[in-house]
Amino acid sequence: MNWDAPLGYKFAVVDAGFRKPAREDLALVISEVPALAAATFTANVFCAAPVLVGREILSRREYVRGVLINSGQANASTGTEGERACRESLRLAAKELSLETDDLLPASTGVIGSPLDLDLWSRAAPKLASGVGGHGAEDFARAIMTTDRFPKLVRAEARLSGGMARICGIAKGAGMICPNMATMLAVLLCDIEIAPDLWRGLVREAVEQSFNRVSVDGDTSTNDTLYALANGAGGVRAEKSEAGEFGRIMAGVLGKLAYMLVEDGEGGTKVLHIRVSGARDALEAEKAARTIGHSPLVKTAIYGEDANWGRIIAALGRSGADFRPEEAALSLGGVELFSGGRPRLSEDIPELKRIMAGKDIHAHISLGSGNGEYTLLVSDLTHQYVDINAKYRT
Amino acid sequence: MNWDAPLGYKFAVVDAGFRKPAREDLALVISEVPALAAATFTANVFCAAPVLVGREILSRREYVRGVLINSGQANASTGTEGERACRESLRLAAKELSLETDDLLPASTGVIGSPLDLDLWSRAAPKLASGVGGHGAEDFARAIMTTDRFPKLVRAEARLSGGMARICGIAKGAGMICPNMATMLAVLLCDIEIAPDLWRGLVREAVEQSFNRVSVDGDTSTNDTLYALANGAGGVRAEKSEAGEFGRIMAGVLGKLAYMLVEDGEGGTKVLHIRVSGARDALEAEKAARTIGHSPLVKTAIYGEDANWGRIIAALGRSGADFRPEEAALSLGGVELFSGGRPRLSEDIPELKRIMAGKDIHAHISLGSGNGEYTLLVSDLTHQYVDINAKYRT
């Protein structure tokens, strides 16, 4: 695509000194005109200060001018002082940008319990403001990374009756990833003009189909936030009759970002696609998929390229999903390994070795009790995962 | 204690050839007289053939003569052929021992999907029978090990009004440990005489207080079985009035075995004791403790000796337990780290370093919403865990 970002958005990133070793760690995206905003936030009870503040801002207004994200300091579990610091950080940046404090939506990522250092914010704000327009979407994606190995950026175009709309999704996250209503941090930018209710509905559905179906470690973060902006700068309006198709394109962008979170899952080497079908309903299918996808025995077997189907069956059996054991069947990469309550194949066939050696591994579990389906993407559990997380703060 | 096992029990172990490299892998305990049997089994839907057969035998009779356990072949997910093979293995051994097939209770452990090799059983049965009495309780404990690093054997004495009763508990397990109604495999031997209903009640309660409160990996096995035998060979009868005290001693034996499972948790270096108090009820406390105890981020932090309380708080926050965040408090080794919604202490104090360097680490979470309590013991998540489980079958 011959564009960097949807029309009417500008970026700025600076090294504010939050992270050691030093690198860009403060990122801003500004819309030239007020942008319609939708958001989804973590379901964690201990939600971080920027989640509380972002939610509060959006309870008062539908349109904003930008999103401000820092890495290195999560500002989570920091109490009312953390909320005050979050508002002050927005004020410092807004002042330099000649905006109101509420024009900016906040998000933070880093170590829980680590508060914002407002001295660093004071020094960074003028540099940030003077840099607006000097950076691009990928700079923004890089500045919000923590343990991520690569930036996560997806662009798409939607051709509507009125013309073309541009969509750009940016996300970060590699650990503490088990999004519940949103992912770690993500921003969706769009230059379409759209009715607020329609926009919020499309965003909710796209998140449900994407971020809510991936997991690295089963740990829902305290800071999960997705902000979705539509600024109308492209001059194209999305009509209700076009919403279905447009929503599918948006869900596709978020789905690609969600896949990248798993691909970049801490220490991960593979992506396991767990598809459960034939469940009584979608919730039963989800229960089975999540139990399998969070089993450390399953995740280490995938890492070891071991078609250890017994561990998948054992996890399924303790999941609490409602099905009859003799109706269940399991295949890996299309090869049936278990059905009718017993093994179907020696796992030592060359085809299975080839399947397990691949990067993407597809497990399909059918339960034979209904039409409920769910697909969950998870990363494997590796030596590097332990390395990263046993030493995160040292 | 100057005794090996409770009165009236004899052991035999042989190398039946189930395991490579070769070592004793078939274990028998025989009571000289019929012993009252109680049992608890896995809650996994895909329960193994020996679980089905053991449950069936105990539905028909209260008294048995012994327990027969093999390692190396789990006989799980093997269908009706697996059940037939299990019964045939009992028949082969019983014949050599001049017993009925139903006199023996079965249990198996090893790779799921791997069936019993009946040729090996035929050859082993005569050797097993001729060896009865030539081995002790620890030989039995060793022969049922799989990835265990040490045998798990606990002895206790109960002084009742009628005299002394001897109790001996034996367990195995290091992975796929998240017992639900029983542990991987355990045998409790006692020479007391006791009423069947009273015995079953005491066993159920003791299991609930011990094995059901530990976890290595959150993965409830397909083979979890505890058999508890009381053969009356000691000539002492437990009266109902003494049941409370006797039950506490039994629960103490099982509690020590349960601790040893976590201590020997695959690749584990530490035991995290998670005590949740002040919950609305015990179930809410359990929900919080299990979410924290199964979090890979918490488990790797413990391994890294990192007092990363934010990960415990984040896991608590997604647990679904009902409490108000500002009422929650967290301490590690008695040092309060979090309360009132914010950090209470820099974690860089020397005392905290000393606490995290210990083998047993005590986390206490109080929720301030009631009197519900629960304590869960879990192992840490280490490089060795990944080693063991990525290469289990290679």
Side-chain angles (χ1 to χ4, degrees), chain A residues 43-46 76-79 81 111-113 175-176 217-222 266 291 295-298 300-301 303-311 313-318 321 323-326 328 338 340-343 347 381-393, chain B residues 43-46 76-79 81 111-113 175-176 217-222 266 291 295-298 300-301 303-311 313-318 321 323-326 328 338 340-343 347 381-383 385-394:
Chain A
N44 196 304
V45 174
F46 291 104
S77 291
T78 49
E81 286 160 47
V111 177
I112 294 175
M176 211 176 256
D217 44 23
D219 277 304
T220 306
S221 148
T222 49
E266 285 178 340
T291 306
S295 160
L297 290 172
V298 170
T300 45
Y303 172 48
E305 305 193 345
D306 178 3
N308 197 326
W309 57 267
R311 294 184 179 176
I313 288 297
L316 175 64
R318 72 174 164 90
F323 67 96
R324 301 198 318 173
E326 63 274 23
F338 177 85
R342 62 189 189 77
E347 55 266 33
L381 175 55
T382 70
H383 290 105
Q384 291 76 7
Y385 180 87
V386 177
D387 268 338
I388 292 166
N389 285 300
K391 298 174 187 164
Y392 184 52
R393 302 197 306 179
Chain B
N44 197 303
V45 173
F46 292 103
S77 291
T78 48
E81 285 160 46
V111 178
I112 295 176
M176 213 177 253
D217 44 22
D219 276 304
T220 305
S221 147
T222 49
E266 285 177 341
T291 306
S295 159
L297 289 172
V298 171
T300 45
Y303 171 49
E305 304 192 346
D306 177 4
N308 197 327
W309 57 268
R311 293 183 180 175
I313 289 296
L316 175 63
R318 71 172 163 92
F323 67 97
R324 300 197 316 172
E326 62 275 22
F338 176 85
R342 61 190 190 78
E347 56 266 31
L381 175 55
T382 70
H383 290 105
Y385 179 87
V386 177
D387 268 339
I388 293 166
N389 285 301
K391 298 173 186 165
Y392 184 51
R393 301 197 306 180
T394 57

Side-chain angles (χ1 to χ4, degrees), chain B residues 124-142:
Chain B
K127 282 190 277 178
L128 193 70
S130 66
V132 169
H135 303 93
E138 191 172 321
D139 299 315
F140 185 96
R142 283 187 187 282

Side-chain angles (χ1 to χ4, degrees), chain B residues 31-169:
Chain B
S31 172
E32 290 166 351
V33 293
L36 176 64
T40 58
F41 296 104
T42 182
N44 197 303
V45 173
F46 292 103
C47 49
V51 169
L52 294 169
V53 172
R55 191 182 279 144
E56 188 202 45
I57 291 171
L58 290 177
S59 73
R60 286 196 305 265
R61 42 155 71 201
E62 289 187 317
Y63 289 82
V64 301
R65 290 294 302 283
V67 177
L68 184 62
I69 302 182
N70 74 284
S71 65
Q73 303 176 336
N75 198 10
S77 291
T78 48
T80 49
E81 285 160 46
E83 288 178 60
R84 265 198 301 275
C86 177
R87 284 199 197 85
E88 179 61 14
S89 72
L90 294 179
R91 195 191 66 77
L92 289 166
K95 194 179 144 211
E96 296 292 333
L97 294 159
S98 306
L99 297 174
E100 294 171 38
T101 301
D102 277 9
D103 279 331
L104 297 176
L105 294 169
S108 299
T109 175
V111 178
I112 295 176
S114 162
L116 298 184
D117 180 336
L118 289 172
D119 287 344
L120 294 177
W121 281 84
S122 300
R123 284 200 288 275
K127 282 190 277 178
L128 193 70
S130 66
V132 169
H135 303 93
E138 191 172 321
D139 299 315
F140 185 96
R142 283 187 187 282
I144 65 175
M145 286 164 47
T146 49
T147 54
D148 304 60
R149 284 173 295 190
F150 56 84
K152 295 162 188 73
L153 177 68
V154 175
R155 297 184 182 90
E157 294 174 347
R159 285 169 203 286
L160 305 182
S161 58
M164 194 178 81
R166 291 155 205 83
I167 304 172
C168 170

Side-chain angles (χ1 to χ4, degrees), chain A residues 13-134:
Chain A
V13 300
V14 299
D15 171 6
F18 304 139
R19 294 185 59 95
K20 292 184 183 70
R23 68 160 172 78
E24 274 70 32
D25 50 15
L26 182 58
L28 172 74
V29 56
I30 285 285
S31 172
E32 291 166 352
V33 293
L36 175 64
T40 58
F41 296 104
T42 182
N44 196 304
V45 174
F46 291 104
C47 49
V51 170
L52 294 170
V53 172
R55 194 182 276 144
E56 189 202 43
I57 291 172
L58 290 177
S59 73
R60 286 198 303 267
R61 43 155 72 202
E62 288 185 318
Y63 288 81
V64 300
R65 290 294 301 282
V67 177
L68 183 62
I69 303 182
N70 74 283
S71 65
Q73 303 175 338
N75 197 9
S77 291
T78 49
T80 48
E81 286 160 47
E83 288 177 60
R84 265 196 302 274
C86 177
R87 283 198 198 87
E88 179 61 12
S89 71
L90 294 180
R91 196 191 64 77
L92 288 167
K95 196 178 141 210
E96 296 293 332
L97 293 158
S98 306
L99 297 174
E100 293 171 38
T101 301
D102 276 11
D103 279 331
L104 297 176
L105 295 168
S108 298
T109 174
V111 177
I112 294 175
S114 163
L116 298 185
D117 182 336
L118 289 174
D119 286 345
L120 293 178
W121 282 84
S122 301
R123 283 201 287 275
K127 281 190 279 178
L128 194 69
S130 66
V132 169

Side-chain angles (χ1 to χ4, degrees), chain A residues 58-250:
Chain A
L58 290 177
S59 73
R60 286 198 303 267
R61 43 155 72 202
E62 288 185 318
Y63 288 81
V64 300
R65 290 294 301 282
V67 177
L68 183 62
I69 303 182
N70 74 283
S71 65
Q73 303 175 338
N75 197 9
S77 291
T78 49
T80 48
E81 286 160 47
E83 288 177 60
R84 265 196 302 274
C86 177
R87 283 198 198 87
E88 179 61 12
S89 71
L90 294 180
R91 196 191 64 77
L92 288 167
K95 196 178 141 210
E96 296 293 332
L97 293 158
S98 306
L99 297 174
E100 293 171 38
T101 301
D102 276 11
D103 279 331
L104 297 176
L105 295 168
S108 298
T109 174
V111 177
I112 294 175
S114 163
L116 298 185
D117 182 336
L118 289 174
D119 286 345
L120 293 178
W121 282 84
S122 301
R123 283 201 287 275
K127 281 190 279 178
L128 194 69
S130 66
V132 169
H135 303 93
E138 192 172 321
D139 299 315
F140 185 97
R142 284 189 186 280
I144 64 175
M145 287 165 47
T146 50
T147 55
D148 305 59
R149 285 174 293 190
F150 56 85
K152 296 165 187 71
L153 176 66
V154 175
R155 297 184 182 92
E157 295 174 347
R159 283 170 204 287
L160 306 182
S161 57
M164 194 178 79
R166 291 154 205 82
I167 304 172
C168 169
I170 298 168
K172 65 88 33 189
M176 211 176 256
I177 298 290
C178 184
N180 190 348
M181 289 317 292
T183 182
M184 189 68 180
L185 295 183
V187 177
L188 183 81
L189 305 174
C190 187
D191 51 19
I192 207 166
E193 188 190 338
I194 189 168
D197 282 355
L198 189 55
W199 181 239
R200 282 189 286 265
L202 289 179
V203 170
R204 201 164 41 236
E205 178 61 20
V207 168
E208 179 52 38
Q209 295 297 326
S210 56
F211 292 126
N212 285 2
R213 294 175 181 238
V214 300
S215 167
V216 169
D217 44 23
D219 277 304
T220 306
S221 148
T222 49
N223 289 51
D224 286 357
T225 300
L226 171 126
Y227 290 128
L229 305 186
N231 68 357
V236 175
R237 185 175 170 84
E239 301 303 334
K240 201 156 186 181
S241 62
E242 300 176 300
E245 177 57 18
F246 182 68
R248 268 190 292 280
I249 295 172
M250 260 178 55

